[in-house]
Amino acid sequence: MQLKSYQEECIKKVREYLEKLAVKRVAWEKVRAIDASMAGDFASAIWEDVTGRLNYRPKTNGLKEPLPNFCLKVPTGGGKTLLACHTIDQINQHYVRKKTGFVLWVVPSTAIYEQTIKSLKDREHPYRQVLDLSSGGRTQILEKTDHFNPQDVEEKLCVMLLMLPSANRVAKETLKIFQDAGGFEAFFPNEDDLKANEELLKRFPNLDAFGKEGQAFGRQVKTSLGNTLRLLQPIVILDEGQRAYSEGAQATINGFNPRIVVELSATPPEGANVLVSITGQALNREQMIKLDIHVSNKQSVTWKNTLMESVAQQQKLEAAAREYEAQTGSYIRPIVLVQVERTGKEQRAKGFIHAEDAREYLIADCLIPADQIAIKSSEKDDIEGMDLYARDCPVRYIITKQALQEGWDCSFAYVLTILTDPKSKNALTQLIGRILRQPGARKTKVRLLDECYVYCFKQNAGGLATAIKHGLEGEGLGDISGRVAIEEDGKRNDSREEVGYRSRFKKFEGKVYLPHFIIQEEGDWRELRYEMDLASRIDWSDVDISRLVELKLEDIETRDEHVAFGLSSDPAYVVEKRKSEHMGSGGLKVDRVFITRHIMPVVPNPWVAYKVANETIAGLMKRYPEEKVAANLVYIVEEMVKDLQAQKDVKAEAVFRKLIKEKKVCFFLHKKQDFDVPKSVKVNKANVLFNPNKGEPVQKSLFEKVDKDDMNDLEEQVAVCLDEQEQLLWWYRNIVHADYFVQGWKSNKIWPDFITAKADPNDPTDYSKVVVLETKGVHLKNEDTKYKQDIFAICNEFGKQTPWKELESAFPHKEVEFQVVFDDEWKQKVLEEFM
């Protein structure tokens, strides 16, 4: 699964933190060996260096050792489970420095538990594939009832899911995992070996044991799952971390003696050490969520009218979805979530809206087929085991009370219908996140299908806005609360407004064109597509593996002191402490099919991919024994992907330039393929762009107002500067994934930041030149930037060769120029162009 840009930035930040943490820990261990009182907290020491903040809150584990802990703030729909899997990989690579071991994944509820365990056990799921790549295909997913042994931990990446109960049941539930039990004896000394038991308790003083210290018969360590976890010192992943901040929950988690704790939360509590904070705007830019949120509050006498409107909206959405599928092949079946007051079999009573009431109304009055309606409750679960994304799945309505409040995801859910007691403030707060995810994490460019809808029955108007705001904040999406439009019996209260062209620019409406790379096909032209037109023409017969077979492989050693179980040659000492242990292959084998599967996203032909994998491994085995190749398998796969992707880019560029030379690909305006600036845009009324130098809204934007929500600091500065240039007629903020793009020889499209028009010297009310700008921070001068500059150079060369007036009569005498500007030079570039 290709990561979104904010996910890549998140992982980059995590890697930076872990690399510095590992270095600091080595220094800490040296100091501790001399004088433990002088060692301090190595995790606190690097926090300011990585984050620039002094707000780190230190913790210790059950051994009173410093406990590195950090939180990833990820809003609902942001892919927190995927980020958790990548974080495990980063910890193993850069902190623990081993690809096997033990991960304790703690979740707060049954719903989240079931969803997570299902995904992690599915070898075809992206989450599992990340873990398999990290472990070299040796991942073992465990539940607390499963048994495992020391060899499993030594040779595999063991991930155990554990449910953390609510605080008032902690003692009762956790007692089970700390009870003496069979199945874990291999981790502990024999019960009659008093010396070995005492040695183990000295090393791990917080282990539960029978007997008391100093008594004649000594102490015997309990062979429980809880004690086993304490011995293993696991990596802890804490899902919904804000739910585990009670004193009891913290004591339980820290008492497992973790080596590091990673929290994932949409709403971290005050005491969380937030390393990365992802915003709702970041998700929206990456097409992860549906916006705007349209809320209709019906004050009619009966709830049936509210449900009827929901049905009408679903049918309208389904019609749009069918048309979208006919054009793109992408399938969407819009689903309505209906929240009622009661669902229990014996709870049907006058005065309360029951699930069966809603179901019967949908069938009898709205003529909805029975198989399109499902009830989801604690007693009845019609969607259990059902693939809601399947084309043959009929479900379009899901009726529930609160069974979908967490742990349930289906991006086909578009409409939320609230029929519960108007006095209840929880419905919207708890269910709003269930309809926000965008199908396929890709905007359809059909407004109806890129937004979501809420229908309420007799909710208090003032309380409604507050409930929605709290609901979004509870999903970590408080920064998009301005994207909510509330309509109450025909009266619309929208925090956003639709604005059109400024009056003096009205004459350009529908007449601003920009060229695309287009390809000739059957006597006509169409938009160039990466996979269809470039990747499919790549010749992989001459793929070069010379660098790959020369990779330097290392003996992987652990940096941290750890305990090995049942490995001592002396039978009197089951537990052997070792400062450094050669990891070797840990029983791993070199699986060429495994490698093939992981390089196929780059080399799509399975036969070619397998040949590359086989030849690379054969070349490495001429230089290294199989055990060493196996021990470095993750590193080898990562290097193969990087090297093959680099070769793919070179080959795709050659294909691209060859098609241009043969005049099969051109860059020009075409009536069917050119980009047309939209006729109107939506802006947040409370967050429009002002010129701070003049104390007024910007004046030269193509549209009457400009929304700041989609701008970073550099883009705001550029926009304000553009607005002050005399020779600039107008400028437009290009929206990523929605507006103008340039498709080059790499898969990702280039979405410039600004489209600007330079005033015509002969007619100041018209423009003679369009300048397309892409802004970059100096720290982002990299290979990607060089690629964009190369593409823009080709665009500009086309512009010199062929005047646009010869290609499109509606665009006479206009020039188009493309520029990449950096934050250390942008102002000079703008002044040079427009002064």
Side-chain angles (χ1 to χ4, degrees):
M1 178 183 285
Q2 185 173 1
L3 295 172
K4 301 292 186 178
S5 59
Y6 71 84
Q7 293 171 332
E8 291 176 342
E9 287 299 314
C10 175
I11 294 167
K12 181 180 177 182
K13 190 73 173 180
V14 169
R15 180 166 59 249
E16 177 192 357
Y17 169 78
L18 292 170
E19 287 173 346
K20 292 183 178 181
L21 187 68
V23 172
K24 201 69 178 179
R25 176 168 181 168
V26 171
W28 173 81
E29 287 175 341
K30 291 178 180 178
V31 173
R32 186 179 68 160
I34 299 170
D35 185 352
S37 65
M38 298 293 290
D41 188 331
F42 63 91
S44 297
I46 65 153
W47 188 255
E48 182 184 5
D49 185 31
V50 175
T51 67
R53 304 191 305 269
L54 292 169
N55 61 342
Y56 184 79
R57 304 209 176 185
K59 296 180 181 179
T60 57
N61 64 18
L63 303 177
K64 306 304 180 186
E65 298 171 340
L67 174 56
N69 64 98
F70 63 89
C71 175
L72 304 181
K73 180 184 179 297
V74 186
T76 295
K80 63 181 173 62
T81 309
L82 180 64
L83 285 173
C85 293
H86 278 283
T87 299
I88 292 170
D89 177 46
Q90 294 298 313
I91 292 171
N92 283 340
Q93 283 191 62
H94 303 290
Y95 184 60
V96 181
R97 294 202 67 206
K98 54 188 288 192
K99 58 190 174 184
T100 61
F102 203 91
V103 177
L104 182 62
W105 193 311
V106 183
V107 298
S109 68
T110 302
I112 295 176
Y113 183 96
E114 291 174 350
Q115 184 185 44
T116 306
I117 197 80
K118 180 181 178 182
S119 300
L120 294 182
K121 284 187 174 182
D122 180 1
R123 293 181 180 276
E124 301 303 315
H125 198 284
Y127 302 162
R128 177 60 181 268
Q129 290 177 347
V130 172
L131 295 178
D132 279 345
L133 180 58
S134 179
S135 67
R138 302 283 288 186
T139 307
Q140 184 172 353
I141 306 299
L142 301 165
E143 300 184 64
K144 71 177 183 179
T145 54
D146 295 330
H147 289 155
F148 54 95
N149 57 49
Q151 185 176 0
D152 290 329
V153 179
E154 287 293 325
E155 297 182 355
K156 302 173 186 176
L157 177 62
C158 297
V159 181
M160 173 175 280
L161 257 71
L162 188 68
M163 194 167 76
L164 183 72
S166 55
N168 64 339
R169 292 187 295 158
V170 165
K172 177 183 176 183
E173 292 294 322
T174 56
L175 183 61
K176 295 178 181 178
I177 69 169
F178 289 112
Q179 290 174 350
D180 195 53
F184 301 106
E185 293 86 355
F187 290 94
F188 301 93
N190 290 330
E191 59 183 27
D192 57 355
D193 191 338
L194 301 182
K195 183 178 180 180
N197 274 274
E198 287 298 331
E199 286 288 332
L200 187 58
L201 284 165
K202 284 181 182 178
R203 175 72 179 88
F204 295 90
N206 68 332
L207 294 177
D208 292 323
F210 296 107
K212 295 182 179 179
E213 187 174 5
Q215 71 179 28
F217 298 104
R219 293 179 293 171
Q220 178 191 335
V221 179
K222 292 182 180 180
T223 59
S224 65
L225 171 59
N227 271 350
T228 304
L229 295 175
R230 287 165 170 167
L231 288 179
L232 294 173
Q233 294 192 260
I235 297 166
V236 171
I237 301 296
L238 198 53
D239 198 354
E240 298 289 344
Q242 78 281 1
R243 305 268 289 270
Y245 266 73
S246 68
E247 185 177 343
Q250 285 288 296
T252 299
I253 293 162
N254 297 343
F256 288 134
N257 302 335
R259 61 189 66 208
I260 191 167
V261 173
V262 181
E263 298 174 21
L264 296 117
S265 175
T267 54
E270 185 178 344
N273 294 316
V274 179
L275 179 65
V276 177
S277 182
I278 298 169
T279 65
Q281 291 294 347
L283 268 62
N284 189 41
R285 281 194 292 270
E286 293 290 341
Q287 309 183 67
M288 298 290 283
I289 53 178
K290 308 182 189 97
L291 287 178
D292 291 341
I293 304 170
H294 297 273
V295 183
S296 178
N297 189 23
K298 307 303 293 182
Q299 296 294 333
S300 57
V301 177
T302 173
W303 56 267
K304 295 179 180 179
N305 291 344
T306 303
L307 188 50
M308 185 184 294
E309 286 219 19
S310 302
V311 171
Q313 183 66 22
Q314 192 281 334
Q315 292 171 346
K316 190 188 301 182
L317 286 164
E318 183 146 0
R322 285 174 178 166
E323 184 177 345
Y324 176 69
E325 182 183 8
Q327 294 174 353
T328 66
S330 297
Y331 175 69
I332 297 174
R333 179 178 13 87
I335 291 174
V336 179
L337 306 182
V338 182
Q339 187 178 51
V340 295
E341 294 173 319
R342 292 187 174 183
T343 56
K345 188 176 181 180
E346 306 298 329
Q347 294 181 337
R348 198 168 184 181
K350 187 176 181 180
F352 295 95
I353 305 169
H354 193 276
E356 289 299 330
D357 295 330
R359 182 177 179 276
E360 289 173 5
Y361 174 75
L362 287 171
I363 294 172
D365 292 64
C366 300
L367 304 180
I368 304 299
D371 64 348
Q372 293 186 8
I373 306 166
I375 293 177
K376 168 78 172 174
S377 69
S378 57
E379 292 184 4
K380 186 177 184 181
D381 190 353
D382 292 337
I383 60 174
E384 184 178 9
M386 184 181 292
D387 181 4
L388 292 171
Y389 295 105
R391 288 176 181 266
D392 60 354
C393 174
V395 173
R396 286 159 173 81
Y397 299 86
I398 300 175
I399 305 171
T400 185
K401 180 181 177 183
Q402 56 186 12
L404 298 179
Q405 287 179 3
E406 64 178 7
W408 185 87
D409 291 321
C410 180
S411 58
F412 284 0
Y414 270 82
V415 181
L416 172 61
T417 305
I418 305 293
L419 303 179
T420 52
D421 185 350
K423 296 177 183 177
S424 171
K425 297 179 180 179
N426 294 327
L428 272 169
T429 302
Q430 296 171 341
L431 281 173
I432 191 75
R434 307 287 76 82
I435 60 170
L436 289 175
R437 295 174 191 266
Q438 180 72 31
R442 185 179 67 246
K443 295 289 187 182
T444 64
K445 296 186 179 180
V446 178
R447 177 171 289 185
L448 200 64
L449 297 175
D450 290 339
E451 301 181 339
C452 57
Y453 310 87
V454 180
Y455 290 87
C456 304
F457 173 54
K458 283 190 175 181
Q459 296 287 326
N460 175 273
L464 184 59
T466 302
I468 293 171
K469 184 175 184 294
H470 287 169
L472 291 172
E473 289 172 350
E475 304 289 351
L477 297 166
D479 62 316
I480 62 165
S481 58
R483 302 293 296 270
V484 179
I486 300 177
E487 181 178 332
E488 188 167 13
D489 284 342
K491 295 180 181 179
R492 188 177 182 84
N493 178 17
D494 196 344
S495 59
R496 286 163 60 80
E497 63 178 319
E498 195 162 339
V499 297
Y501 281 56
R502 292 183 183 274
S503 57
R504 65 181 184 275
F505 301 142
K506 281 282 187 181
K507 66 178 183 177
F508 302 124
E509 190 175 291
K511 296 181 180 179
V512 178
Y513 306 101
L514 285 170
H516 278 294
F517 281 106
I518 57 178
I519 187 168
Q520 196 169 27
E521 181 181 69
E522 297 180 355
D524 201 355
W525 297 87
R526 62 166 173 79
E527 178 187 306
L528 180 72
R529 297 174 185 171
Y530 174 78
E531 292 292 344
M532 181 186 297
D533 303 319
L534 301 179
S536 65
R537 287 177 163 88
I538 290 176
D539 180 7
W540 287 101
S541 62
D542 59 347
V543 62
D544 181 10
I545 63 168
S546 59
R547 193 189 76 83
L548 296 174
V549 298
E550 293 299 321
L551 287 174
K552 182 180 179 181
L553 306 185
E554 298 180 353
D555 292 325
I556 302 174
E557 296 182 352
T558 57
R559 291 184 181 180
D560 56 315
E561 180 181 301
H562 72 283
V563 175
F565 307 97
L567 301 178
S568 174
S569 58
D570 185 350
Y573 293 92
V574 178
V575 181
E576 177 187 5
K577 189 165 75 174
R578 294 180 290 180
K579 295 277 185 181
S580 179
E581 175 190 296
H582 174 70
M583 294 306 300
S585 67
L588 295 179
K589 294 182 179 179
V590 179
D591 186 341
R592 290 161 177 79
V593 174
F594 171 84
I595 300 171
T596 301
R597 189 166 70 245
H598 283 87
I599 65 174
M600 276 186 62
V602 181
V603 185
N605 186 310
W607 306 108
V608 175
Y610 185 85
K611 181 173 180 287
V612 171
N614 193 43
E615 291 178 355
T616 299
I617 295 303
L620 288 169
M621 284 187 177
K622 290 179 181 177
R623 300 172 53 231
Y624 299 105
E626 182 175 357
E627 291 79 9
K628 196 165 189 175
V629 174
N632 287 268
L633 191 60
V634 175
Y635 166 70
I636 293 167
V637 171
E638 288 176 341
E639 290 301 306
M640 288 181 73
V641 170
K642 284 193 291 187
D643 190 83
L644 291 169
Q645 184 61 59
Q647 292 189 54
K648 187 174 187 177
D649 290 343
V650 171
K651 291 176 178 292
E653 180 182 1
V655 171
F656 184 79
R657 292 185 181 277
K658 182 173 182 289
L659 290 171
I660 289 175
K661 187 176 181 181
E662 295 172 347
K663 300 189 184 304
K664 292 179 180 177
V665 165
C666 293
F667 185 71
F668 61 69
L669 297 166
H670 188 276
K671 60 184 178 181
K672 293 182 180 178
Q673 307 297 336
D674 54 75
F675 166 74
D676 187 6
V677 172
K679 295 182 179 180
S680 64
V681 295
K682 278 193 168 185
V683 299
N684 188 338
K685 295 176 184 177
N687 200 29
V688 296
L689 182 64
F690 268 68
N691 184 331
N693 303 321
K694 298 181 179 180
E696 63 182 11
V698 291
Q699 298 296 311
K700 290 193 173 184
S701 55
L702 185 61
F703 291 91
E704 292 177 352
K705 296 179 182 179
V706 178
D707 199 329
K708 282 174 60 178
D709 281 349
D710 293 323
M711 289 189 181
N712 59 34
D713 291 342
L714 174 59
E715 290 162 355
E716 280 190 39
Q717 293 174 39
V718 173
V720 170
C721 182
L722 287 169
D723 207 69
E724 294 177 338
Q725 303 309 307
E726 290 184 10
Q727 292 303 312
L728 181 135
L729 183 64
W730 54 258
W731 61 272
Y732 173 65
R733 169 71 166 111
N734 192 56
I735 305 300
V736 175
H737 301 302
D739 288 346
Y740 179 66
F741 66 87
V742 177
Q743 176 66 71
W745 61 74
K746 292 187 178 182
S747 60
N748 291 335
K749 298 177 175 70
I750 300 172
W751 304 85
D753 294 316
F754 295 98
I755 298 168
T756 67
K758 190 172 184 178
D760 188 336
N762 302 315
D763 182 0
T765 66
D766 199 359
Y767 60 97
S768 59
K769 181 179 181 180
V770 172
V771 181
V772 179
L773 295 176
E774 166 75 359
T775 60
K776 286 286 182 185
V778 173
H779 64 289
L780 295 176
K781 284 187 177 181
N782 51 29
E783 185 179 338
D784 180 63
T785 304
K786 173 65 166 57
Y787 162 68
K788 289 180 178 179
Q789 290 174 320
D790 289 345
I791 290 294
F792 281 7
I794 295 174
C795 297
N796 291 331
E797 188 61 33
F798 265 103
K800 292 176 184 177
Q801 293 173 3
T802 311
W804 304 119
K805 63 182 179 180
E806 295 180 14
L807 301 168
E808 178 58 65
S809 59
F811 200 68
H813 310 295
K814 311 293 190 214
E815 297 178 40
V816 180
E817 184 178 329
F818 294 77
Q819 295 185 19
V820 177
V821 295
F822 297 97
D823 63 1
D824 63 342
E825 64 179 16
W826 67 264
K827 195 163 190 175
Q828 184 61 35
K829 292 275 188 181
V830 168
L831 294 175
E832 288 174 0
E833 184 66 50
F834 294 105
M835 281 189 68

